[in-house]
Amino acid sequence: MTRRRLLPAILLAGILASVLLLAGCKSTEKGVSTWSANGGDPSFEKQEEVSADKLMQFGVYPQSKADSKIQSDIKSKVTIDEETGLWNECDDETMYARYDLETGYFIYAAKVDGVRQEEQYYMQCGEDLFLVEPLQWIVLETVGSDSIIISNKVIDGGRKYSDLYGECTWETSSIRDWLNGTGDYDARTGSAYNTQLNFINRAFTSDEISRIQTVSLTAADNETYGTDGGASTTDKIYLLSAAEFEEYFKAEDSEINAMAYATDYAVARGVSVGEDSEANWWLRDPGAKTYMLGVNRAGTVTEGGYSVHDTTEGIRPVLRVPTSLLQRVEVSAE
């Protein structure tokens, strides 16, 4: 094949690589946060996080910021060739690293005495890389052989609840589309979600996705503000309703901390956090007009909610899976 015929393919590969790099963490239009320093609660104080022995693992997602040396090594040695537009691969005495075009991850493995160690995966967000790690979940309820689980931390953000202007419901929301990999990624341009951009395909394997239960959901009307909850839906991945939040987090016998803390990746995505990384997060019920309810940093439901165009709120996915798929988090002995 001649160089002239190769050029379009090379350019296409370079463009696709750039899209995937930005897909995990593109620049977002910052909304106006409605937070006060204490989350709107004068009695605000940090609560203990859920202990590791009570958490379960299922799926993976970018979370912790990578070690500075690993970041430096990957960025300096895995680059795009200026002539070919293709990614350079590094395989020297100290490390192996490459960029995987299909997943949008950097793959890295240190070498000890020339022997390649276990591979690790990193997602780029802005100028930093974030380690892809097992997702940790809190079991909210056991129903027969299934468990209803919510992410232990706020794992993503920087996303508008709705890409369109005007009133919004869970049914019509962009966040619902992003979580489930359905509908339009950007309603203004009509560009569809693909496997590199949505949550469900990045976090889970095809086999895991097939085992996640599809559940029927409703969102309550907001009588205080006269806003419509929207039509019922069936989804694999969803957000809690305000009533479910109260049931699971605020019941007298509940041992679950209502405050949530954000991962490094979520903060890089644009989630607003306090000094201990406590964050506010979305629910699926409507608030005031063009607002949706959320949980504030102090762990209580906001009265009027947050603007559907605010990008500083975080996301805690909820799903129902067979309990047999969940693995206990290994707790190292001290």
Side-chain angles (χ1 to χ4, degrees), residues 8 15 27 33 146 175-176 184 192 241 314:
I15 292 171
S27 297
S33 177
D146 293 342
I175 280 188
R176 176 180 172 234
D184 293 333
S241 67

Side-chain angles (χ1 to χ4, degrees), residues 20-164:
L20 291 179
L21 274 175
L22 294 174
C25 191
K26 66 178 183 179
S27 297
T28 55
E29 178 185 343
K30 299 300 180 185
V32 178
S33 177
T34 52
W35 282 112
S36 60
N38 62 3
D41 184 347
S43 63
F44 171 81
E45 61 181 50
K46 178 178 170 63
Q47 299 176 17
E48 292 299 320
E49 298 184 47
V50 177
S51 58
D53 62 327
K54 295 182 179 179
L55 298 175
M56 306 297 282
Q57 291 183 168
F58 180 62
V60 297
Y61 208 66
Q63 295 177 70
S64 302
K65 186 176 177 179
D67 173 86
S68 58
K69 184 179 186 307
I70 292 177
Q71 293 213 47
S72 176
D73 287 345
I74 292 176
K75 291 177 183 178
S76 63
K77 297 181 180 180
V78 183
T79 58
I80 295 179
D81 188 287
E82 293 183 359
E83 292 187 5
T84 65
L86 301 177
W87 284 93
N88 293 314
E89 181 178 297
C90 174
D91 191 4
D92 59 23
E93 295 180 354
T94 62
M95 62 175 278
Y96 168 81
R98 66 183 177 88
Y99 178 74
D100 184 62
L101 191 62
E102 182 177 354
T103 62
Y105 289 146
F106 287 94
I107 300 174
Y108 169 88
K111 289 185 179 180
V112 178
D113 296 328
V115 178
R116 188 187 300 182
Q117 306 300 298
E118 183 179 359
E119 289 184 344
Q120 296 177 320
Y121 297 81
Y122 294 89
M123 167 68 82
Q124 184 166 2
C125 183
E127 295 298 319
D128 292 313
L129 299 176
F130 296 84
L131 178 63
V132 177
E133 303 171 273
L135 277 169
Q136 297 185 350
W137 305 85
I138 298 169
V139 177
L140 297 174
E141 182 181 1
T142 301
V143 183
S145 60
D146 293 342
S147 290
I148 298 174
I149 58 178
I150 185 172
S151 64
N152 178 42
K153 294 190 174 184
V154 168
I155 62 169
D156 208 312
R159 304 177 186 279
K160 297 177 182 179
Y161 207 100
S162 173
D163 288 324
L164 295 177

Side-chain angles (χ1 to χ4, degrees), residues 1 3 6 8 10 15 44 62 67 75 133 147 163 181 184 199 203 208 244 263 267 273 296 319 332:
M1 184 180 292
R3 182 178 180 84
L6 271 173
I10 291 172
I15 292 171
F44 171 81
D67 173 86
K75 291 177 183 178
E133 303 171 273
S147 290
D163 288 324
D184 293 333
F199 170 74
E208 289 171 337
E244 289 166 344
T263 63
V267 174
V273 296
N296 64 25
L319 52 151
S332 57

Side-chain angles (χ1 to χ4, degrees), residues 245-301:
F245 170 79
E246 295 293 334
E247 175 187 354
Y248 293 129
F249 287 85
K250 294 298 185 177
E252 289 186 7
D253 59 348
S254 175
E255 298 180 354
I256 307 174
N257 179 8
M259 291 175 62
Y261 303 91
T263 63
D264 295 340
Y265 179 73
V267 174
R269 282 283 309 159
V271 173
S272 175
V273 296
E275 61 181 17
D276 294 311
S277 294
E278 65 275 12
N280 33 313
W281 45 287
W282 290 113
L283 298 173
R284 71 171 187 269
D285 294 327
K289 188 175 182 180
T290 71
Y291 280 58
M292 296 295 287
L293 294 183
V295 178
N296 64 25
R297 294 179 188 173
T300 58
V301 176

